[in-house]
Amino acid sequence: MFFYLSQFLSFLAMPLTILLILIIGGAIFLKRKWGKKMLWTGIILLIFFTNPFLSNLALLAWEPDFKSFDEIENHEIGIVLTGVTNLSKTAYDRTFFNKGADRITHALQLYQMGKIKKILITGGQGLNPVNPQSEAELLQRFLIMTGMPQEDIWIEDQSKNTAQNAQFTKDFLVKKGIDTNQGFILITSAFHMYRAKGCFDKVGLKTETFPTDYYSHDVKYDIPSLIFPDSNSIQYWTKLFKEWLGIIVYKLVGYM
């Protein structure tokens, strides 16, 4: 129930939803003074949310810096959070990726460099799945196809959100008889790392963070970045709003 409620609250608080309410509401009640204010507020916010320079600055301020592979100390297990595959496309001989594939490719690189000995993938099917396979299964298949031994790939495929990722991962480790007092490498998207780290801290798992999947880029002072509207900017703000709302809710219910 909490999973579906959080999804609905996220929808209501998203920039595009807010813009639609303001612009459509303002257009309907244009003859009223407050209707005009709604419309102009919507237009101004539309310009703001589609500006790529401003969205990139927000991302740069939020996402933690990436870490070089050399500075990562050796650990027994790297924990990878899912959320990077296209679960709406069903196939059994390949893995379709969305953005964020470097969560698993960077984990594979850590493994090949000897920084970790095993990869634990945590994540199930999410909301209203059409694919009978879990994300953890799909990523496990990808790693096996790269030549990684199956015994070095563990999957937890029941969790549906970040809080469950943390709790179910700990349960999985306990069931396997793994010492949960050791340190682990936590691998997820940079924009999501604060919430993920908070959840794993809450359940008592000590993790060293390894952020991946950056939405931000180096600052560019050119005409397109400064002036031209970009629909991708709304997507980036949506990512940030959803993450910020998730953090607030998680702290309220005690997941962090």
Side-chain angles (χ1 to χ4, degrees):
M1 183 62 184
F2 172 80
F3 180 70
Y4 293 96
L5 179 60
S6 64
Q7 293 293 321
F8 179 68
L9 290 175
S10 295
F11 166 75
L12 291 179
M14 291 305 101
L16 186 57
T17 305
I18 296 170
L19 291 173
L20 288 173
I21 291 173
L22 289 172
I23 292 175
I24 294 174
I28 293 174
F29 299 102
L30 187 59
K31 294 183 178 180
R32 302 187 182 185
K33 187 176 181 180
W34 56 268
K36 291 180 181 179
K37 289 182 178 180
M38 282 183 65
L39 180 60
W40 278 109
T41 300
I43 293 173
I44 292 171
L45 287 177
L46 178 62
I47 295 171
F48 176 86
F49 284 129
T50 56
N51 184 279
F53 184 80
L54 295 176
S55 63
N56 187 56
L57 287 183
L59 287 165
L60 283 170
W62 177 250
E63 292 180 327
D65 293 335
F66 67 87
K67 299 178 179 179
S68 70
F69 286 94
D70 290 337
E71 69 181 280
I72 298 298
E73 297 181 359
N74 292 357
H75 290 72
E76 188 73 21
I77 301 169
I79 302 170
V80 180
L81 273 63
T82 58
V84 302
T85 66
N86 183 0
L87 284 176
S88 297
K89 193 79 171 175
T90 303
Y92 294 93
D93 62 348
R94 69 200 68 192
T95 298
F96 293 107
F97 285 99
N98 290 325
K99 189 182 182 310
D102 51 358
R103 291 191 195 184
I104 197 66
T105 58
H106 287 185
L108 178 61
Q109 190 169 348
L110 287 168
Y111 174 83
Q112 291 176 334
M113 294 176 69
K115 296 290 184 178
I116 52 178
K117 296 180 180 179
K118 295 185 183 297
I119 294 177
L120 196 168
I121 308 167
T122 170
Q125 293 179 299
L127 179 66
N128 296 327
V130 297
N131 191 332
Q133 305 160 100
S134 68
E135 274 210 82
E137 289 177 292
L138 293 171
L139 294 181
Q140 180 189 48
R141 176 189 301 158
F142 166 76
L143 291 177
I144 292 173
M145 290 174 65
T146 68
M148 186 173 171
Q150 186 167 351
E151 60 267 23
D152 289 344
I153 311 166
W154 294 343
I155 64 170
E156 178 288 300
D157 60 359
Q158 298 303 307
S159 54
K160 292 186 177 181
N161 57 35
T162 311
Q164 290 184 356
N165 286 146
Q167 186 59 61
F168 292 2
T169 292
K170 183 176 183 180
D171 295 343
F172 178 91
L173 293 169
V174 170
K175 187 175 181 180
K176 270 195 166 289
I178 305 299
D179 177 18
T180 57
N181 292 316
Q182 66 180 292
F184 303 89
I185 296 182
L186 182 61
I187 307 160
T188 189
S189 298
F191 80 90
H192 185 55
M193 185 57 79
Y194 179 84
R195 180 158 49 138
K197 173 68 172 171
C199 289
F200 277 80
D201 287 347
K202 184 70 175 182
V203 301
L205 292 179
K206 295 179 292 185
T207 58
E208 178 181 359
T209 61
F210 191 79
T212 67
D213 180 29
Y214 282 82
Y215 282 82
S216 63
H217 55 75
D218 296 341
V219 177
K220 295 187 291 185
Y221 297 97
D222 56 17
I223 296 300
S225 297
L226 293 169
I227 298 177
F228 293 173
D230 185 352
S231 60
N232 287 328
S233 294
I234 294 183
Q235 178 189 355
Y236 299 150
W237 279 110
T238 298
K239 284 281 184 185
L240 289 172
F241 272 53
K242 185 176 181 180
E243 192 62 23
W244 294 338
L245 181 62
I247 290 170
I248 292 171
V249 173
Y250 271 41
K251 287 189 175 182
L252 288 174
V253 299
Y255 289 161
M256 295 176 64

